Structure formats: C-alpha cells, structure tokens
Amino acid sequence: MNQQQAQLLDNFQGFHIEVTNICTLKCSGCARTRFIEEWPQHWKNHSIDPETLFKFIDVPVDNLRITLCGNYGDSIYHPRFHQLVAGLKQRGAVLHIITNGSYRTETWWQQLCSLLTAVDIVGFSVDGVPDNFTQYRVNADWDSIEIGMRVCAAASCQTEWRYIPFSYNQHSIDQAKQLSQSLGIDQFVITLSSRFDQRTEHLKPVDDLLQNRYSRQVTWKNTQQSNGVDPDCADHRKHYISADGYYMPCCFVGDHRFLYKTPWGKQREQFNINNATFSEMLVSDTTVKFNQDLSVHSVCQFSCPGT
C-alpha cells in the first residue's frame, strides 16, 4: 500500500448510505422524479441487503457519522429499516437519518426510536408549513409527519426540522420555526438549495436564501469553465453506497446526470459491494486517481464549485 492509499484509509470519517431508492414523494427537483419521467422503462426499485452492507463495511465505525439519506429514495421506506439501524448501532455508529417522514405509524416510529441514542439525529425535511409544504414535497402527508416528529422529540435521539426556502415558503420560516418548537424539535435548520433550473425556476427564493454555489453552477453550465472546486468530501464523511449496492466517492457521482461519465458508471461492476470490501475499493487505483485532483472532474466542478 502506498502513502496516498494509506492516507485515504486513515482519513476515513464516515459514510453516506442510500439504503433504498423507494420514495412516496414526487418532488420536482429530485433526481428520482426526473429519471422516472424521462426513462420510466429503466426505473427499478432497490433496497440494499443488510447482510451484504455489513460485510462490505470492513472498517471500524465506532463513533463515526453515517448519514442515511441519498439521491433518489427516502431511507424510512427500506423494508428492513429497523434491522439496518440495529446492525449499524451494534457496531457503534452515530446515525443521521434524513427523511420527509410521511406515512409511517406511531408504532413504527417508536420501534425506530428504541434503537437510537442521544448521539443520533432524525431530520425531517419539511419545506414550509402544513398548508403549503406540499407545493414542493408533492404527495407528502403532514398528519403522519407530525406523528413521527412527536415520537422522536419525546425520545432520547436528537431531532431536526430541515427547511429549504422556496418562493412559496420564504415568508413562512418564522411560523415553521415556532411550530417546530411547539412540537419539541431540537433544531430548526435552514438548508439553502442550489437545485434550480428551467423546471424549478418559479420556486427560486430571493437571492439571500440561495446557496452561494448557485451562481457558480449557472456560470459552469453556461461556459463549462471552472474556478476549481470546494469539495464537500473534504470532511471524509461522504463515501457513498447506493441503494442498488455500489460504492462511489460521494453521492454527487451517483447522480445519473454524471454517473455514466465517471469510472463508477463505466466500470460499474468493479464497485459492486458484493465483489469487494470498502477498504479494498477505497485504496483501488481508480479511487486514488479520482482523489488526486478533484478539480478536473465535471461532477466536482458542477456540484462543488470553487469561489
């Protein structure tokens, strides 16, 4: 093992795992919605096999953050979600579950919370207040979300209300924050978005509520010119595992707009988690080469543009 390979292993800090690509929502800016609308014949639902995942992760994860979110799905719809959570907690992982929270029962939430501890976080993505948030979170269900929020708020885990400002909800932030406090939510988190294009232009909020990378992404899309990258993966927590069981260096690579232009799309089976362990994939020549200069990759230039 060379020095750079050893450094990648030493710097490892956690995972981002998309345990399922199943979702009940049809958010207009979501990669899932876009893919199904454009190529419905190619869409397949996937949920990662827990035993395969546990075998693949051959490194210690004690006290390391594992985010359960993804590009396409909502983790709570994995058919064996509680088993997955239990297995990760048995290994000492710190979990950050990000979900819209719709359509699960009080009993389901109680079972989940029985597996979590005070270091874990459940974040509910609700962009607005009950009477307007479905303008983006199409098909979401406030009544069941509120049940989940109340159960989690009463449990030992930490809770978040995650709020993306849009044109329709930018004036509802204070109202939503007050509601989150009345429900016992620990943190109200404003999550600025740069996910705006011709289809979602009407949802764009005022400039102060746009993620600062938005203008740089527009410049990149118009000119294909980059000022380098400011990589989100610098915290070494973004190692991504997709719902259909493939390793990638981050979730941005897993977006279908870029995936098939990268080695993780072109040489896909090399990164099937059934075929090797995480430590083997992390120190592979392909991974090492990708990390040597992130600024040359179009997926990095667009997703994490430099200033």
Side-chain angles (χ1 to χ4, degrees), residues 100-252:
N100 172 250
S102 294
Y103 305 111
R104 288 304 191 190
T105 65
E106 182 174 5
T107 300
W108 188 95
W109 285 109
Q110 289 171 341
Q111 185 176 350
L112 174 63
C113 289
S114 72
L115 302 170
L116 304 177
T117 66
V119 298
D120 303 309
I121 303 172
V122 181
F124 293 88
S125 297
V126 180
D127 310 314
V129 290
D131 62 358
N132 70 11
F133 81 106
T134 56
Q135 291 187 48
Y136 183 72
R137 303 279 172 178
V138 176
N139 290 343
D141 176 66
W142 171 254
D143 290 342
S144 55
I145 293 170
E146 182 178 353
I147 289 171
M149 286 182 169
R150 289 187 182 279
V151 172
C152 292
S156 60
C157 60
Q158 302 171 55
T159 50
E160 297 173 334
W161 182 318
R162 302 171 63 86
Y163 189 111
I164 299 175
F166 291 109
S167 57
Y168 71 84
N169 71 7
Q170 60 191 15
H171 304 298
S172 304
I173 293 175
D174 288 342
Q175 183 183 352
K177 187 174 184 179
Q178 292 173 5
L179 179 56
S180 75
Q181 292 171 345
S182 71
L183 292 169
I185 301 297
D186 296 311
Q187 288 186 300
F188 185 82
V189 180
I190 298 292
T191 306
L192 302 183
S193 178
S194 57
R195 191 179 293 179
F196 297 100
D197 57 19
Q198 291 181 341
R199 283 191 53 186
T200 54
E201 185 73 18
H202 67 288
L203 294 173
K204 191 172 68 174
V206 295
D207 288 347
D208 289 347
L209 295 175
L210 279 172
Q211 193 173 33
N212 59 13
R213 71 176 62 173
Y214 171 72
S215 62
R216 302 197 294 275
Q217 288 181 334
V218 171
T219 299
W220 185 88
K221 284 192 287 188
N222 290 336
T223 68
Q224 298 294 294
Q225 295 180 350
S226 167
N227 290 323
V229 300
D230 180 18
D232 280 359
C233 62
D235 64 4
H236 304 288
R237 291 181 174 179
K238 301 299 189 297
H239 298 281
Y240 181 67
I241 303 171
S242 65
D244 51 351
Y246 292 89
Y247 166 76
M248 290 159 241
C250 75
C251 69
F252 295 130

Side-chain angles (χ1 to χ4, degrees), residues 49 52 55-56 244-246 269 271-277 281:
D49 176 65
T52 302
K55 183 178 179 181
F56 172 74
D244 51 351
Y246 292 89
E269 286 310 308
F271 304 98
N272 188 318
I273 67 173
N274 285 283
N275 298 337
T277 63
M281 291 189 187

Side-chain angles (χ1 to χ4, degrees), residues 12-15 54 57 59-66 84-96 115-120:
F12 163 69
Q13 294 294 321
F15 287 105
F54 300 150
I57 301 176
V59 291
V61 295
D62 300 59
N63 299 315
L64 294 186
R65 173 62 51 83
I66 295 181
L84 269 166
V85 169
L88 293 170
K89 291 303 296 178
Q90 286 169 7
R91 295 180 63 172
V94 176
L95 300 184
H96 189 184
L115 302 170
L116 304 177
T117 66
V119 298
D120 303 309

